[in-house]
């Protein structure tokens, strides 16, 4: 039984900007597919957190979590759920998804915490509140430590390597495949022995890019996909972009570089909001190569000015350098110009409209770095916008990439307020953004100014639009306290410290009251045994003096501490009360006694000079140190001093409303790297799933896609469109049984296995036998296990039975001829018995009484063909036949005409035997019509090659 429940981003009634999360229940296992979260500002403005409530409820019960991509909408809720909601199950993702996801979460967390207050709750407090069903309120922002701990917990996996899960999931097989959308993006294939194969394909791109290859890497098979992803029993795919028509990648890149070049050369700046990691690599490689071309001396003759390209390429991100470092260690996961030794580097001007010349060259040699296309020698990294404006004034032309792409907080939001009011500047958007964010509002303004045919999704590039009017924007910030506010804060901190010190002193005093006698006795003995000179030498004197002062905490003012002790009888100034239970009378200690301890000596009577040993140890340690060791110690101390986090100055969070007079221009070009409508329809048709579930789409778009798929031949009609939190149940509960192959059968299967859709299949003939003491039956050859009558008493044994081991069953041998059994008796007893009264027969009688059963006396065929014939694949294979290919063409639904007779001119007669018809009938029927001959034999062999042949044992 397979059950899928969309917790968010369903295909019935949802927005494309919702977080991605689906619950898959498979064979009693609860698997969570992705765990995303909205943008922090959008989450703080919403009033419904049903999705987060459901995740919190499910987190402790999950068996497995699979993370397919690294953007925030796929995994940003995972660190919080692990730290606060009891998510302790195994988590799997590829290594790039782990590292890039860590970068994304850290960038979001640090940026938000630098501007907005966060309600800090420890894990214990949060769990206690959760037990009380405390209502949730976003955003759900973890700490930096929680982010690192959560991503360290993830188990990294590699592409195309099947992984047998452990524990309760030991029967499942997990295989990841590349999806092409992000670095490390994954299509998860889950195989269950009882429920079939499930392919989770959300976030896919079939085309290659500058740093990634297309989905499943492929020129595998006639459809271009790896064999492992074809014909899944269930395909989970997104349909939200099924109505989108993408322009060609070169057209989009040219349009982006045209806008950047023209804006900079007009002495204005460009602001490009971007993702902290996953899609940022593609933009950096494109822009860095463009800067390399502009700075190439060979191209100066084509430039209006002979001065070098003077415009800086800047990235403002707290995690930008970490992202680049991680990417350089993950080159084997990439494709395009990065993975190849130089790839095809564009040496023409993409932005100039001229045709670019391509030249093969070594990337490392061309760029002067071992990192090749990931060198980024023209990119300058800045942690904060203030660092950027300090290096390059506001009016200096520059291209600034700033995170996050939603512009809801962080550097991109701040830089927008400083650049949007300058006429000539351009805000360049590469994604529509999430709902209720600043990026989505700006995108909607741009779209209103475009012609109907030039809007996004129509297959054309729009034009530059202007921002007119005013815009109210809320700016949050964290500023240091000054003046009276700082004094008031310091005063409150001082009072709090004093209260804490007083509370701690009270606790210490209570402790001393309970230990006063022991402390005084120890201090007296130590004070009389250790000299002041020795104590001063090794630091013991201070401790002794302190313990003398603390020896009796109840001495009156002006009294000699050394003469005081606690009495159990009432003595003024010397009483020592013992804490008692409530309701009991106060008790005093009795019979004061002071133990006089002698001088500390060893077993031989010699006094122990502790100070001497301490001094000697220090001298030996100093003499053994070399100059190199001393230098390392000094450097280590300096490094530790540098790494000490400086205490943050007292600050406060403020929020102010800004009214911006918008004068800059807007431009949008889709650089998300996702599929379009035609490609997703082709992908579904090529994968040939038996059942299909659509997710992450809007209702109108989903209805259109379902209508198209229903009208397309060869595509499954079992299509499900679940709403949010609606369960889709596929299949039925299947009872599975275990059986062991006996030696008599397994020995003959060495060369009998046939591969079929990832399985190995063989046809065997045998009978089941039960070994004593074992619950797992054994399948042995039919001649070794024979049927018996119901009543064991009906067989009269002439000899003493001698048990032997045969085929995993205890059997007894007898030489009595078998009794004749009529047909009616055999049917009544549900046993078939073969009687040969004229000859002495040997019958097998089990040592333990068995339940009789019917054994059909039918023979199995010598070979069997299994599988599904795909006429498109057959047509492709006939074309590739050697030495002579066979032409073919479709002649209607489920019919394929094959043979050289198809090429006969209309005025000539078709030769007999030159055309063969292949037709599919019903579910599994295949009919070949034609005259037997060479063409017929070749087509028949090609049809058999499309199926899996299973030979009997």
């Amino acid at each position: 039984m397979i059950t899928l429940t969309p917790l968010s981003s369903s295909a019935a009634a949802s927005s494309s900007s919702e977080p991605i999360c689906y619950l898959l229940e498979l064979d009693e296992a609860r698997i969570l597919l992705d765990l995303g979260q909205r943008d922090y500002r959008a989450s703080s403005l919403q009033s419904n957190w049903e999705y987060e409530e459901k995740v919190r409820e499910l987190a402790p019960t999950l068996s497995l979590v699979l993370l397919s991509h690294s953007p925030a909408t796929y995994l940003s809720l995972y660190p919080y759920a692990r730290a606060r909601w009891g998510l302790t199950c195994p988590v799997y993702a590829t290594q790039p998804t782990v590292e890039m996801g860590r970068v994304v979460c850290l960038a979001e967390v640090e940026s938000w915490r630098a501007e907005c207050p966060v309600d800090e709750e420890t894990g214990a407090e949060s769990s206690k509140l959760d037990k009380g069903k405390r209502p949730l309120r976003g955003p759900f922002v973890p700490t930096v430590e929680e982010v690192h701990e959560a991503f360290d917990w993830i188990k990294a996996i590699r592409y195309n390597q099947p992984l047998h899960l452990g524990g309760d999931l030991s029967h499942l097989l997990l295989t990841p495949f590349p999806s092409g959308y992000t670095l490390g993006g994954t299509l998860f294939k889950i195989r269950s022995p009882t429920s079939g194969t499930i392919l989770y394909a959300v976030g896919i791109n079939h085309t290659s890019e500058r740093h990634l290859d297309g989905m499943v890497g492929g020129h595998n098979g006639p459809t271009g996909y790896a064999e492992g992803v074809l014909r899944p029993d269930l395909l989970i795919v997104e349909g939200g972009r099924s109505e989108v028509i993408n322009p060609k990648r070169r057209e989009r890149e040219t349009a982006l570089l045209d806008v950047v070049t023209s804006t900079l050369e007009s002495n204005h700046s460009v602001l490009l909001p971007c993702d902290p990691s996953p899609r940022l690599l593609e933009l950096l490689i494109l822009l860095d190569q463009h800067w390399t071309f502009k700075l190439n001396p060979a191209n100066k003759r084509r430039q209006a000015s002979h001065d070098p390209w003077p415009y800086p390429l800047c990235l403002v991100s707290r995690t930008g350098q970490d992202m680049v470092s991680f990417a350089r260690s993950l080159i084997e996961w990439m494709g395009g110009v990065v993975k190849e030794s130089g790839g095809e580097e564009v040496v023409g001007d993409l932005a100039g409209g001229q045709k670019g010349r391509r030249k093969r060259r070594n990337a490392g040699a061309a760029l002067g770095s071992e990192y090749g296309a990931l060198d980024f020698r023209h990119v300058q990294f800045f942690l904060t916008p203030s660092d950027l404006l300090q290096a390059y004034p506001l009016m200096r032309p520059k291209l600034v990439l700033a995170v996050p792409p939603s512009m809801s907080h962080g550097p991109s939001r701040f830089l927008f307020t400083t650049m949007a009011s300058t006429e000539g500047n351009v805000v360049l958007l590469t994604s529509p953004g999430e709902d209720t964010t600043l990026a989505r509002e700006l995108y909607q303004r741009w779209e209103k100014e475009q012609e109907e045919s030039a809007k996004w999704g129509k297959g054309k590039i729009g034009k530059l639009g202007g921002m007119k009017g005013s815009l109210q924007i809320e700016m949050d910030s964290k500023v240091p306290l000054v003046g009276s506010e700082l004094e008031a804060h310091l005063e409150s901190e001082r009072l709090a410290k004093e209260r804490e010190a007083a509370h701690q002193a009270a606790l210490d005093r209570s402790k001393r009251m309970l230990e006063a006698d022991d402390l005084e006795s120890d201090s007296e003995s130590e004070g009389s045994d250790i000299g002041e000179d020795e104590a001063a030498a090794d630091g013991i004197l201070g401790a002794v003096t302190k313990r003398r002062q603390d020896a009796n905490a109840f001495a009156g003012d002006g009294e000699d501490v050394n003469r005081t002790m606690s009495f159990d009888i009432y003595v003024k100034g010397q009483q020592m009360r013992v804490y008692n239970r409530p309701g009991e009378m106060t008790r005093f200690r009795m019979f004061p006694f002071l133990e006089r301890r002698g001088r500390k000596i060893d077993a031989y009577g010699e006094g122990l000079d502790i100070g001497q040993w301490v001094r000697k140890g220090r001298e030996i340690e100093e003499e053994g140190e070399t100059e190199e060791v001393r230098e390392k110690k000094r450097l280590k101390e300096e490094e530790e001093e540098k790494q000490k986090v400086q205490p943050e100055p007292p600050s406060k969070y403020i929020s102010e409303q800004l009214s911006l007079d918008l004068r800059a221009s807007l431009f949008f070009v889709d650089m998300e790297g996702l599929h379009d409508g035609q490609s997703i329809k082709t992908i579904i048709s090529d994968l040939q799933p038996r059942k299909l579930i659509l997710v992450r789409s809007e209702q109108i778009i989903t209805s259109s896609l379902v209508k198209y798929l229903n009208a397309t031949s060869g595509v499954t009609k079992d299509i499900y469109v679940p709403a949010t939190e609606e369960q889709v149940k596929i299949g039925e509960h299947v009872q599975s049984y275990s059986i062991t192959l006996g030696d008599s059968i397994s020995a003959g299967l060495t060369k009998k296995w046939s591969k079929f859709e990832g399985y190995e299949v063989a046809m065997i003939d045998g009978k089941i036998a039960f070994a004593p003491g074992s619950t797992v039956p054994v399948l042995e050859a039919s001649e070794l296990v024979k049927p018996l009558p119901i009543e064991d008493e009906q067989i009269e044994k002439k000899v003493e039975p001698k048990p032997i081991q045969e085929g995993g069953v205890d059997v007894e041998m007898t030489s009595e001829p078998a009794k004749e059994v009529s047909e009616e008796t055999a049917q009544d007893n549900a046993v078939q018995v073969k009687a040969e009264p004229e000859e002495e027969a040997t019958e097998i009688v089990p040592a333990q009484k068995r339940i009789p059963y019917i054994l059909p006396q039918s023979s199995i065929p010598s070979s069997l063909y299994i599988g599904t014939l795909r006429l498109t694949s057959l047509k492709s294979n006939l074309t590739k036949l050697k030495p002579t290919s066979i032409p073919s063409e479709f002649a209607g639904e489920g019919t394929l005409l094959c043979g050289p007779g198809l090429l006969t001119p209309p005025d000539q007669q078709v030769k007999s035997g030159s055309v063969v018809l292949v037709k599919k009938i019903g579910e599994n029927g295949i009919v070949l019509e034609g005259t037997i001959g060479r063409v017929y034999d070749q087509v028949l062999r090609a049809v058999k090659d499309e199926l899996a042949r299973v030979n009997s044992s």
Side-chain angles (χ1 to χ4, degrees):
M1 171 69 76
I2 302 173
T3 303
L4 183 75
T5 307
L7 304 182
S8 180
S9 288
S10 68
S14 66
S15 169
S16 59
S17 63
E18 287 187 5
I20 299 171
C21 185
Y22 309 102
L23 176 64
L24 176 65
E25 297 178 74
L26 178 65
D27 300 340
E28 307 301 330
R30 301 165 70 89
I31 304 174
L32 202 64
L33 305 174
D34 289 320
L35 189 51
Q37 184 180 189
R38 286 182 178 271
D39 177 81
Y40 286 152
R41 186 171 296 275
S43 178
S44 64
L45 295 177
Q46 70 184 29
S47 58
N48 186 354
W49 287 276
E50 291 182 0
Y51 160 62
E52 289 82 2
E53 288 276 7
K54 189 66 175 178
V55 171
R56 180 176 66 170
E57 179 183 348
L58 291 172
T61 66
L62 295 175
S63 307
L64 180 68
V65 175
L66 300 178
L67 302 178
S68 60
H69 297 280
S70 52
T73 52
Y74 289 85
L75 52 64
S76 65
L77 189 59
Y78 160 65
Y80 194 91
R82 170 158 179 79
R84 315 290 179 94
W85 293 344
L87 179 63
T88 57
C89 65
V91 184
Y92 288 95
T94 59
Q95 190 65 40
T97 301
V98 174
E99 301 302 342
M100 296 302 170
R102 186 198 306 266
V103 169
V104 170
C105 290
L106 287 176
E108 295 282 339
V109 166
E110 293 178 354
S111 177
W112 182 261
R113 286 179 174 271
E115 296 180 3
C116 303
V118 177
D119 183 18
E120 293 290 353
E121 293 178 355
T122 61
E125 293 174 352
S126 178
S127 61
K128 291 179 181 178
L129 293 172
D130 290 348
K131 290 180 180 179
K133 297 299 181 182
R134 173 180 178 266
L136 293 178
R137 181 174 179 81
F140 305 96
V141 187
T143 63
V144 174
E145 293 77 14
E146 290 170 350
V147 171
H148 283 295
E149 181 183 357
F151 282 93
D152 290 341
W153 174 263
I154 299 177
K155 299 178 181 179
I157 54 180
R158 299 190 66 85
Y159 287 149
N160 305 317
Q161 292 188 359
L163 175 66
H164 291 274
L165 304 177
D168 297 337
L169 307 176
S170 57
H171 62 289
L172 299 180
L173 182 67
L174 177 68
T175 307
F177 295 95
S179 67
Y181 166 46
T182 58
L183 180 61
T186 311
L187 308 179
F188 284 110
K189 176 184 175 182
I190 307 172
R191 169 167 290 171
S192 167
T194 58
S195 301
T197 301
I198 301 171
L199 183 63
Y200 176 64
V202 174
I204 54 181
N205 184 17
H206 66 296
T207 60
S208 299
E209 297 184 287
R210 292 179 177 270
H211 78 296
L212 287 178
D213 291 328
M215 64 172 287
V216 196
H219 304 287
N220 302 295
T223 59
Y225 303 115
E227 182 181 355
V229 301
L230 296 176
R231 276 313 264 178
D233 294 300
L234 174 63
L235 174 64
I236 305 172
V237 69
E238 59 181 323
R241 294 175 65 94
S242 59
E243 299 296 322
V244 175
I245 303 175
N246 277 344
K248 294 182 180 179
R249 181 170 69 93
R250 184 176 180 82
E251 295 178 1
R252 289 181 275 125
E253 292 177 352
T254 302
L256 186 145
L257 295 179
D258 278 339
V259 171
V260 170
T261 303
S262 60
T263 305
L264 294 179
E265 290 181 349
S266 63
N267 290 326
H268 293 95
S269 299
V270 179
L271 173 63
L272 199 163
C274 59
D275 196 278
S277 171
R279 297 300 304 171
L280 178 58
L281 274 176
E282 183 73 12
L283 292 173
L284 287 181
I285 294 174
L286 172 65
L287 295 172
D288 189 70
Q289 288 184 350
H290 182 62
W291 254 250
T292 300
F293 166 76
K294 287 293 185 179
L295 292 171
N296 190 351
N299 301 318
K300 282 187 177 181
R301 62 181 181 273
R302 295 191 295 169
Q303 298 178 7
S305 174
H306 293 285
D307 297 332
W309 184 255
Y311 311 110
L313 173 59
C314 309
L315 172 63
V316 184
S317 173
R318 295 174 181 267
T319 57
Q321 290 179 313
D322 294 336
M323 183 274 297
V324 172
S325 299
F326 287 138
R328 289 170 177 170
S329 65
L330 301 170
I331 294 180
E332 70 273 12
W333 294 82
M334 301 185 190
V337 298
V338 177
K339 189 174 183 179
E340 298 176 0
S341 59
E344 291 184 354
E345 184 178 351
V346 179
V347 296
D349 190 357
L350 286 176
Q354 299 182 7
K355 215 167 190 179
R357 295 182 294 106
R358 294 180 177 268
K359 181 180 178 182
R360 282 281 188 191
R361 61 175 63 183
N362 182 275
L367 298 173
S369 169
E370 60 177 324
Y371 302 117
L374 298 181
D375 182 57
F376 300 139
R377 58 178 178 175
H378 304 300
V379 181
Q380 302 181 42
F381 298 91
F382 298 93
L383 297 178
T384 61
S386 58
D387 296 340
L388 170 68
L389 297 179
Q390 186 176 359
Y392 300 105
L394 185 61
M395 300 308 296
R396 177 171 176 178
K398 54 187 172 293
L399 171 60
V400 182
L401 293 89
V403 300
S406 62
M407 304 173 67
S408 62
H409 58 87
S412 61
R413 190 178 184 88
F414 176 82
L415 291 171
F416 174 79
T417 61
T418 61
M419 300 172 62
S421 300
T422 304
E423 188 172 359
N425 289 348
V426 174
V427 178
L428 182 58
L429 302 177
T430 57
S431 66
E434 296 185 25
D435 292 338
T436 69
T437 61
L438 177 58
R440 175 59 66 91
E441 183 177 353
L442 296 178
Y443 165 75
Q444 292 173 349
R445 292 194 176 202
W446 173 85
E447 193 175 35
K448 289 179 180 178
E449 298 186 5
Q450 306 302 311
E451 299 178 358
E452 188 64 28
S453 61
K455 290 184 178 181
W456 175 67
K458 302 297 183 179
K460 295 184 179 180
I461 303 293
K463 62 180 181 180
L464 200 66
M467 290 188 293
K468 300 179 182 179
S470 61
L471 176 66
Q472 297 293 328
I473 184 172
E474 181 181 358
M475 289 296 299
D476 298 317
S477 59
K478 185 178 181 181
V479 297
L481 298 178
V482 294
S484 59
E485 291 181 339
L486 178 60
E487 294 177 359
H489 177 77
L490 295 177
E491 180 64 20
S492 63
E493 280 191 344
R494 185 183 63 81
L495 295 176
K497 289 181 180 179
E498 290 180 356
R499 286 194 297 269
E500 181 65 24
H503 178 65
Q504 188 64 34
L507 294 177
D508 294 342
R509 183 172 178 270
S510 300
K511 186 177 180 180
R512 289 196 302 268
M513 289 170 62
L514 296 175
E515 302 175 356
D517 290 341
D518 294 337
L519 289 172
E520 181 174 1
S521 61
D522 292 344
S523 63
E524 288 293 336
S525 62
E526 292 182 9
S528 60
D529 293 344
I530 302 178
E532 292 187 1
D533 293 340
E534 296 174 353
D538 57 7
I540 298 178
L541 180 60
V544 172
T545 306
K546 185 178 185 305
R547 297 187 71 177
R548 284 180 176 177
Q549 295 175 355
D550 296 341
N552 195 322
F554 311 98
D557 294 337
E559 295 182 355
D560 188 0
V561 177
N562 292 329
R563 294 176 52 194
T564 59
M565 63 177 59
S566 63
F567 289 82
D568 289 342
I569 59 176
Y570 177 75
V571 178
K572 184 179 180 180
Q574 301 292 331
Q575 67 270 26
M576 172 64 178
R577 295 186 179 183
V578 177
Y579 289 100
N580 53 335
R581 298 176 182 176
E584 295 183 3
M585 296 182 62
T586 302
R587 294 180 290 112
F588 295 91
R589 294 188 178 180
M590 302 176 64
F591 309 111
F593 174 73
L594 179 63
E595 180 182 3
R596 298 292 181 180
R597 299 181 181 178
R599 185 177 179 84
K600 293 183 179 181
I601 58 176
D602 59 13
Y604 298 96
E606 183 178 358
L608 299 178
D609 189 354
I610 301 176
Q612 179 180 356
W613 286 104
V614 172
R615 291 191 299 270
K616 189 65 176 176
R618 290 174 181 171
E619 292 176 1
I620 294 175
E621 185 179 353
E622 292 176 357
E623 290 176 359
E625 289 181 354
T626 61
E627 188 65 29
E628 183 179 356
V629 174
R630 295 192 186 96
E631 182 66 18
K632 287 184 178 180
K633 265 189 178 180
R634 186 182 62 80
L635 293 176
K636 184 178 180 181
E637 291 175 357
E638 292 179 357
E639 187 67 23
E640 291 177 354
E641 189 68 25
K642 291 179 181 178
Q643 291 180 355
K644 286 183 179 179
V645 179
Q646 296 296 330
E648 187 178 357
S651 306
K652 66 177 180 179
Y653 295 96
I654 61 173
S655 180
E656 55 181 342
Q657 293 287 337
L658 297 181
S659 180
L660 299 179
D661 183 16
L662 301 180
R663 297 182 180 179
S665 300
L666 272 174
F667 187 72
F668 170 79
V669 56
D670 186 8
M671 297 295 291
E672 285 190 293
L674 286 169
H675 61 271
D676 60 359
Q678 184 58 43
S679 62
I680 192 62
K681 294 172 184 176
T682 304
I683 289 171
I684 294 175
S685 178
D686 289 343
L687 294 182
Q688 286 290 303
R690 293 181 173 89
K691 298 181 186 297
L692 178 66
I693 295 182
L694 297 176
V695 295
R696 203 187 181 196
S697 179
E698 299 178 4
Q699 189 170 6
I700 299 177
I701 299 176
T702 304
S703 301
S704 176
L705 178 59
V706 172
K707 184 178 179 181
Y708 171 84
L709 295 176
N710 287 330
T712 304
S713 61
V715 179
T716 179
K717 302 303 184 286
D718 294 331
I719 303 175
Y720 302 89
V721 186
T724 303
E725 297 191 11
E726 177 187 352
Q727 290 186 347
V728 173
K729 295 184 178 180
I730 300 176
E732 300 293 339
H733 284 291
V734 178
Q735 296 292 342
S736 60
Y737 303 92
S738 298
I739 191 170
T740 302
L741 292 180
D743 295 338
S744 59
I745 287 183
S746 59
L749 293 178
T750 305
K751 298 181 180 180
K752 301 292 185 180
W753 296 106
S754 301
K755 290 186 177 181
F756 173 69
E757 294 188 359
Y759 296 95
E760 289 188 350
V761 184
M763 186 163 50
I764 59 176
D765 178 19
K767 295 181 180 179
I768 295 176
F770 289 87
S774 175
T775 59
V776 180
V778 180
L779 188 66
E780 292 286 1
S782 301
E783 61 271 12
L784 298 180
V785 181
K786 296 183 178 179
L788 295 173
I790 295 179
E791 299 297 336
D792 295 342
E793 293 81 0
Q794 294 178 359
I795 302 178
E796 297 178 3
K797 305 172 184 177
K798 294 184 178 181
V799 297
E800 186 70 16
K802 182 180 180 182
I804 62 173
Q805 187 73 17
E806 181 71 21
V809 181
D810 287 337
V811 300
E812 298 177 357
M813 307 299 295
T814 177
S815 59
E816 182 183 24
K819 294 183 179 180
E820 295 186 9
V821 182
S822 64
E823 184 178 356
E824 297 179 358
T825 306
Q827 292 178 354
D828 294 340
N829 295 338
V831 177
Q832 296 180 2
V833 180
K834 182 178 180 181
E836 297 179 358
E838 298 180 357
E839 299 179 4
E840 189 176 57
T842 301
E843 293 294 331
I844 300 178
V845 181
Q848 56 185 11
K849 190 171 183 179
R850 311 189 258 179
I851 300 175
Y853 51 88
I854 297 178
L855 294 176
Q857 300 293 329
S858 61
S859 61
I860 61 175
S862 60
S863 63
L864 185 69
Y865 290 90
I866 62 175
T868 303
L869 177 64
R870 300 182 61 206
L871 296 182
T872 55
S873 178
L874 175 63
K875 185 176 184 297
S876 176
N877 289 339
L878 290 174
T879 307
K880 298 177 183 178
L881 283 179
K882 293 182 180 181
T884 304
S885 62
I886 297 180
S888 58
E889 63 181 26
F890 289 100
E893 184 175 354
T895 304
L896 183 68
L897 291 176
C898 315
L902 299 177
L903 304 179
T904 304
D907 56 344
Q908 297 182 13
Q909 185 178 1
V910 179
K911 293 183 180 180
S912 176
S914 62
V915 176
V916 177
L917 181 142
V918 181
K919 188 175 183 180
K920 298 178 66 175
I921 300 177
E923 291 292 333
N924 301 311
I926 302 174
V927 175
L928 270 71
E929 296 180 0
T931 304
I932 296 178
R934 182 184 61 84
V935 177
Y936 186 90
D937 292 340
Q938 289 180 339
V939 174
L940 180 60
R941 283 197 299 268
V943 171
K944 291 181 178 180
D945 291 340
E946 292 293 314
L947 305 174
R949 179 176 179 177
V950 181
N951 296 325
S952 64
S953 59

